[in-house]
Amino acid sequence: ALAACGAGFFSNPIEVVKTRLQLQGELKARGHYQRHYRNPIQAFYAIAKQDGILSLQKGLGPALIYQCIMNGIRLGSYQVILNSGITKDKDGNQNGMKCVLAGCFAGMCGAFAGSPIYMVKTHMQTQASSSIAVGYQHNHTSSYQALRDIHLKFGIRGLWRGATGTVTRAMVGSGVQLSTFTVIRTKIANLDIFSNGSVLVPISASFVSGILISLCMTPFDVISTRLFNQDVDSSGRGKYYSGPLDCFVKTIRKEGVIGLYKGLAASYLRLGPHTALSLVFWDRLRRLYYGKEN
């Protein structure tokens, strides 16, 4: 949790940019909507110019809380699984497929627990002045107010609206991220390119994980963002999508396959540093706690 929070503080601005790129032109064909954001760099500038530099840290509070909940459970449970030895082959080496399955399970548990605060984070990161606004605007004043109002209107079920999307997203992301990091870190360490215990080993492994996770997870990330941010009716049901599959079909039908990869560059710009920071922090803290050889 501490490792993920440290990474989350630095990566939140690009998360804001990514979220808005994913919602821009929602369910509209290319050329039939105004493009406020053309790429991550221009989006940074547009947001800072219109709403102020601090607006790039919108949703920071719920983002850090989510990192504590989700990654505390995810990284912690994954480490427990690794320590049990069930992910190793008969030679004592980490098995890639077993690591993927362990990562998927760990991600699923963490994402489900943190789903309500992730929904609020998405709402708050989307909020912008009308001149650059994209997606539905929920206009929350604080995380507490958002959670309270959602609970009062729609009950416990309303707090977990869209959980299926974020759980799927996290299972894919965690399965790729944690498994590739574990396997690649071991292979890099065995090559003896870097000195024993060098921080360059987890950094190198984490940047490879960032590339793979961006390609694999972006479609699921787009779907999750849209499920969370959509407007709802009086019963708490989404007005645009009934679930992940419905969102997937409608996005392809209206925007093409490219619609599922909106914000891909921003995803890597976030995931590269975030993955590097969180996994390096995790690796360092894990080594301190368990010892250098684990």
Side-chain angles (χ1 to χ4, degrees), residues 269-291:
L269 288 176
R270 174 195 173 271
L271 284 168
H274 182 88
T275 301
L277 288 168
S278 60
L279 292 180
V280 168
F281 289 159
W282 173 56
D283 190 65
R284 298 295 97 178
L285 292 170
R286 183 186 59 81
R287 286 165 62 86
L288 286 173
Y289 185 82
Y290 290 105

Side-chain angles (χ1 to χ4, degrees), residues 181-198:
F181 175 77
T182 301
V183 173
I184 293 172
R185 182 194 62 192
T186 301
K187 290 184 179 298
I188 292 175
N190 290 339
L191 290 173
D192 293 326
I193 298 174
F194 306 110
S195 60
N196 185 37
S198 172

Side-chain angles (χ1 to χ4, degrees), residues 14 18 206-215 218 263-275:
I14 193 63
K18 174 187 70 73
S206 61
F207 269 102
V208 174
S209 291
I211 295 172
L212 295 174
I213 194 176
S214 296
L215 293 172
T218 294
L264 176 61
S267 291
Y268 181 71
L269 288 176
R270 174 195 173 271
L271 284 168
H274 182 88
T275 301

